[in-house]
Amino acid sequence: MTRAYGRCTAAAIALVVAACSQGGSDAGEISHAPDGASAATGGLCKLLSRDEIAAAVGSPVADGNVAGPLGSGCQWELANERSVMIQVVPRDYWEDGTNAPGSEALADIGEKAFVGPWLDDQRAGALTLNGAVYVISPSRDASVTLLRQVATRVPPQ
């Protein structure tokens, strides 16, 4: 009985390790999320350049790393210990933030868009033909600027 239990445990651990390693942490890999829950994360980290982010936030930027649930985002650390993150999810996961306190609707970005407070940062989001796009950064202006850039670059999911 112990030997069979040991083999089952070893097999379960092997499956978990294999499953966890599929998503990877390399920004060049593709996430294997179910139901199209994420875009190619390598593509997400390439949607914005470090120079574009640095210009928007006024701070040096490190390389982007896969982030978010199921690898649905990319995060860049800033020199001031803050960060910028983008996330792209299927249209069905759109969260319209225009009614949240301190938020406002934005014009001319996707079908619908908003910007507003998010913890200590500012979050901007847009519903596009290719998915729901969110940008979180330290400032409202940076979030809107980066959202405008990313929203037009998101590939079909």
Side-chain angles (χ1 to χ4, degrees), residues 14-130:
L15 288 172
V16 169
V17 169
C20 289
S21 66
Q22 278 187 343
S25 61
D26 178 16
E29 293 184 17
I30 295 176
S31 173
H32 298 280
D35 301 321
S38 71
T41 53
L44 289 180
C45 289
K46 294 175 184 174
L47 290 178
L48 291 170
S49 71
R50 289 172 52 193
D51 290 341
E52 288 173 319
I53 297 169
V57 299
S59 175
V61 180
D63 288 334
N65 292 300
V66 175
L70 300 173
S72 61
C74 188
Q75 183 170 358
W76 294 264
E77 298 296 326
L78 307 177
N80 61 6
E81 299 184 17
R82 304 291 297 271
S83 66
V84 168
M85 181 175 176
I86 62 170
Q87 183 178 29
V88 179
V89 295
R91 290 173 53 88
D92 293 346
Y93 293 99
W94 165 248
E95 293 179 19
D96 188 348
T98 55
N99 293 327
S103 294
E104 63 182 279
L106 297 172
D108 303 325
I109 305 176
E111 295 172 33
K112 300 178 187 176
F114 71 91
V115 64
W118 183 262
L119 303 173
D120 291 334
D121 292 317
Q122 293 287 311
R123 179 174 79 145
L127 180 62
T128 72
L129 289 175
N130 295 327

Side-chain angles (χ1 to χ4, degrees), residues 4-20:
Y5 177 75
R7 277 189 247 159
C8 288
T9 302
I13 290 171
L15 288 172
V16 169
V17 169
C20 289

